[in-house]
Amino acid sequence: MTSVVEKRLGALPVAAEFLRRLDVAGIVDEVCPVGASAHLTHGQVIEALVVNRLTSPALLVRVGDWARTWVVEEVCGIEPALLNDDRLARALDAIAPELDRIAGTVGARAIAEFGVDVSRLHWDMTSVSVHGAFPAEDQDEQYPVVSYGRPKDRRVDLKQVQAGLAVSADGGIPVHARVFDGGAAEVSQVVGAMKDPQGMAGAREFLLVADPKLVSCTNVAALLAAGVDFISLRAIRRIP
């Protein structure tokens, strides 16, 4: 008797193909190599996690069980049992110090591979509230610190982290993302939001579109010095 195994397909093959075209695994493995005896590279694990987030954006637990019920082995070539919590944690720990480098390289690859128009970028920040104490002494200052701030959801009783995202006007494609301390002032992040995408865009000029927090003397001076056009609700300027 022939046994029948049913697995979910969904958008997994499409997501996997995009990751291959972006060479996410190759980029991660170049920055964060593993020993020759490893069953999986960090890049393979990260690709599996990205596909997991895109197809099943629930709590990041039992990823191995998810892989067994989806066509992960058939499409990604990864044995589900290898995606255990310990292996996932080691991959995430490995890429944590290199996130800016990895994200910037993947973003530049997306621009080149898919011809993304980066002549106009839209930048904004949001907050993510979290439950728990998160004492400052238990947090690593090398990474964004969970703390009180000005939450967008108005849950002032909860601590938070913040995330900034730059997307192209051409299809709203994310080309740059960064995580910030929960207490970081949004107005202070604009210069970084300009310099990072500018590095990916190369010599091309681009227009930065942001909300009113873009406007401060420091930000405007930096934007003018860099020759970047910008638009916000409080200022519209075009460099001749």
Side-chain angles (χ1 to χ4, degrees):
M1 179 180 293
T2 303
S3 61
V4 177
V5 178
E6 293 186 1
K7 293 186 178 182
R8 298 189 64 177
L9 187 66
L12 193 150
V14 177
E17 179 60 23
F18 273 105
L19 291 172
R20 291 191 183 103
R21 290 184 65 179
L22 292 172
D23 192 27
V24 171
I27 291 170
V28 172
D29 289 338
E30 183 176 353
V31 177
C32 307
V34 296
S37 61
H39 294 292
L40 293 175
T41 68
H42 292 319
Q44 287 177 296
V45 175
I46 296 306
E47 279 199 344
L49 283 177
V50 172
V51 173
N52 171 264
R53 297 295 82 198
L54 292 173
T55 59
S56 303
L59 295 176
L60 192 58
V61 294
R62 300 188 180 90
V63 174
D65 292 342
W66 160 81
R68 292 185 186 92
T69 58
W70 287 71
V71 291
V72 173
E73 187 167 9
E74 291 78 4
V75 173
C76 303
I78 297 176
E79 183 181 339
L82 297 176
L83 295 173
N84 55 68
D85 290 347
D86 179 67
R87 186 64 189 88
L88 301 183
R90 283 188 283 120
L92 293 172
D93 284 344
I95 70 169
E98 306 291 347
L99 281 179
D100 287 345
R101 182 178 172 188
I102 292 170
T105 305
V106 172
R109 174 79 181 217
I111 292 169
E113 179 69 18
F114 299 105
V116 179
D117 181 7
V118 292
S119 61
R120 188 169 93 233
L121 296 178
H122 294 247
W123 166 262
D124 200 6
M125 288 178 59
T126 189
S127 60
V128 180
S129 296
V130 297
H131 294 263
F134 293 96
E137 60 272 18
D138 291 342
Q139 299 187 57
D140 190 336
E141 294 182 354
Q142 295 183 10
Y143 301 99
V145 175
V146 179
S147 61
Y148 291 109
R150 296 184 176 182
K152 299 296 177 69
D153 61 4
R154 300 184 181 180
R155 287 296 304 268
V156 294
D157 57 315
L158 299 177
K159 292 183 178 180
Q160 65 174 20
V161 290
Q162 299 181 87
L165 188 66
V167 303
S168 68
D170 175 19
I173 300 170
V175 294
H176 177 69
R178 178 167 287 189
V179 181
F180 302 96
D181 291 348
E186 189 169 339
V187 69
S188 304
Q189 315 310 322
V190 173
V191 173
M194 170 197 71
K195 291 182 177 179
D196 293 336
Q198 192 174 41
M200 290 188 296
R204 285 174 285 187
E205 297 180 352
F206 70 91
L207 171 69
L208 182 64
V209 182
D211 65 16
K213 295 182 179 63
L214 176 147
V215 182
S216 73
C217 291
T218 301
N219 291 343
V220 171
L223 290 164
L224 294 177
V228 174
D229 292 354
F230 60 92
I231 292 179
S232 79
L233 293 178
R234 293 183 184 171
I236 299 178
R237 184 183 189 282
R238 179 70 185 178
I239 296 177

